[in-house]
Structures are given as C-alpha cells and as structure tokens.
Amino acid sequence: MTTEKKSWLYQQLFTGWKKFEITYIIALLALQVIAYLVAPDSIIGMISGLSGVICLVYGMKGRKITFIFGFIQTIAMTYIAWKTHAYGSFAMNIVYVISQPIGWFLWGNDEAVNSFSASVKKKLFIGAFFAWLIGWGILANVGGQLPYFDSINLVISLIAQTLYIFKYKENWSLWIFVNIANLIYWSLLTYRVFTGAVDVGTLGGCLSQVALQAALLFNSIYANKVWNDYESSTENV
C-alpha cells in the first residue's frame, strides 16, 4: 500500500517533464523570489506566488496534485486580497478555496480533457461578457479597487474555474484573458501603493501578485496548447 502511494506521488510530481517546461518553471519560481527580495515585506505574498506557480504548472500537466498547491495559494491570496480591498478577488478566492477539494475528487489520474462545440463556446463567451458588466456595477457600488478589472477577476474567473475543475480545455482561453486583466490590475495597484496614492496592503504583497500574474499568463498560454494536444491525442486513439 505504501509503495502504491509513493508511486502515485512520484508520477504526479516528477514524470513526463520536457526540458523547456523545467526551464520555465525554474524561471517563474525565481521571479517570485526576486519580487520578494525587491520588497521583502510580505512573506504571505511570496508563499502565494510560489504555490500559485506550482499549482498552475501541475494544472497545465493535467495532474490532480495541482489542487494541493492550489489550496495553499488560495488561502494566502484570500488574505492579500482582503488587505488590499480587492473585494472581487477576495470573493473569488473564497470560491477557489472551496473548489480545490471539489477538483481533487472530480479529476482522474489521466490527462484526458473535455471540450465544447463551437456554438456552446460562442454562448459561453457572450455570457461571460455580460456577467463582467454586472460584476463591474456591483463592485463599483461597494467601493472596490479598480472595479472594471476586479470584476474580471470575480466573474470571469468563476466561469474559468468551473470549467477547470470539470477539465474543459476552454478554461485556458478565459484564464488568458483573466491573467492579462489581473496583470494590469496588480501593476496599477502596485504603482498606487508605491506612490502613496492608496494606503491599503503592502508593496511586497502587490509586487508578488504582479510577478504571479505574469507567470500565470505565460503558463495559461502554454497550457492552452498542451490541453489542445491532449484532446488531439485522445481523438486519434
């Protein structure tokens, strides 16, 4: 029994990696450490960044161990979002925390993925657009930071995360959009904290999220290709 558990863990963690993937993982993790060294005022921010990179990298590989690292990252990120008044992000991270054990039970141990038809994809993206507008209005009324960006992090992320835990490859298209918006959002918030325009959160906490979103954007673009390859290989079997 012990041997089987170790074998599963070894396969989840160490097998099937390309040299390119190993190189970019090391680079993305180094980016988180550099962000912390530049502004070492938020150890939680660094934990969020490191665990977030590891989580999404294993998610890119389609491995269910991603949800262990995801649980750590979402707990840390929930705290950061609350401290910076990023209410959309805070609400979404509560959903992320809950979704980690759900994803763990829904994902199998293989790399098979699901996909929608073209007509369903169109309806999905149109619905996501209108959901973003509604979220923008709600967050603006409660005094959230940059509600037009934060709404993307709330409503679009919710849709993307739902698709992710059910292993639909279209989740990565939405994540690319979310990561671009979040990269802009946290960059603007970092600048405002640095210049003293706002006094919420810490520079290190915000900077760690800039580094994390840059890493997640790169990973989402690559994961979109990888999951498309998974689907193609499955169809050819």
Side-chain angles (χ1 to χ4, degrees):
M1 187 174 181
T2 304
T3 304
E4 290 179 357
K5 287 185 177 179
K6 287 183 178 179
S7 177
W8 177 87
L9 185 62
Y10 182 86
Q11 290 177 9
Q12 288 281 304
L13 290 173
F14 303 117
T15 61
W17 293 98
K18 299 177 181 178
K19 289 183 179 180
F20 166 75
E21 293 171 346
I22 295 173
T23 300
Y24 97 70
I25 291 167
I26 293 173
L28 296 185
L29 292 175
L31 182 62
Q32 305 304 312
V33 176
I34 291 171
Y36 177 73
L37 294 176
V38 171
D41 58 6
S42 178
I43 187 67
I44 294 179
M46 186 179 70
I47 292 172
S48 172
L50 291 174
S51 57
V53 168
I54 297 172
C55 165
L56 268 297
V57 165
Y58 281 112
M60 173 270 293
K61 298 294 285 186
R63 298 178 183 178
K64 66 186 300 180
I65 200 169
T66 178
F67 295 105
I68 295 177
F69 296 103
F71 188 79
I72 298 171
Q73 192 272 331
T74 51
I75 291 292
M77 183 57 202
T78 300
Y79 173 80
I80 293 172
W82 176 258
K83 296 294 289 184
T84 55
H85 295 188
Y87 297 128
S89 180
F90 173 77
M92 192 59 231
N93 274 279
I94 292 177
V95 175
Y96 287 156
V97 172
I98 297 171
S99 71
Q100 301 308 306
I102 296 175
W104 173 270
F105 285 110
L106 287 178
W107 279 32
N109 292 320
D110 57 25
E111 296 175 341
V113 299
N114 305 308
S115 63
F116 292 115
S117 65
S119 61
V120 173
K121 288 180 188 178
K122 183 177 180 180
K123 293 176 182 177
L124 175 68
F125 293 133
I126 292 174
F129 174 75
F130 283 106
W132 165 66
L133 292 178
I134 295 171
W136 179 355
I138 293 173
L139 291 171
N141 286 328
V142 299
Q145 293 279 350
L146 306 174
Y148 35 90
F149 283 120
D150 206 18
S151 177
I152 294 174
N153 195 47
L154 176 60
V155 296
I156 308 300
S157 294
L158 176 59
I159 298 170
Q161 183 68 5
T162 301
L163 298 181
Y164 180 69
I165 64 174
F166 283 99
K167 223 168 185 182
Y168 278 92
K169 71 182 185 65
E170 288 79 10
N171 85 88
W172 293 113
S173 297
L174 292 177
W175 281 126
I176 290 171
F177 182 68
V178 169
N179 295 148
I180 291 173
N182 279 342
L183 181 59
I184 297 172
Y185 173 88
W186 286 104
S187 296
L188 291 174
L189 192 54
T190 299
Y191 175 76
R192 294 173 73 175
V193 171
F194 178 74
T195 59
V198 296
D199 58 354
V200 294
T202 64
L203 178 61
C206 292
L207 194 60
S208 70
Q209 295 310 305
V210 173
L212 175 59
Q213 295 306 319
L216 298 188
L217 174 59
F218 180 88
N219 185 75
S220 294
I221 294 171
Y222 183 69
N224 190 55
K225 175 185 179 302
V226 170
W227 280 38
N228 280 326
D229 291 343
Y230 287 160
E231 185 187 28
S232 299
S233 63
T234 302
E235 291 175 348
N236 293 330
V237 172

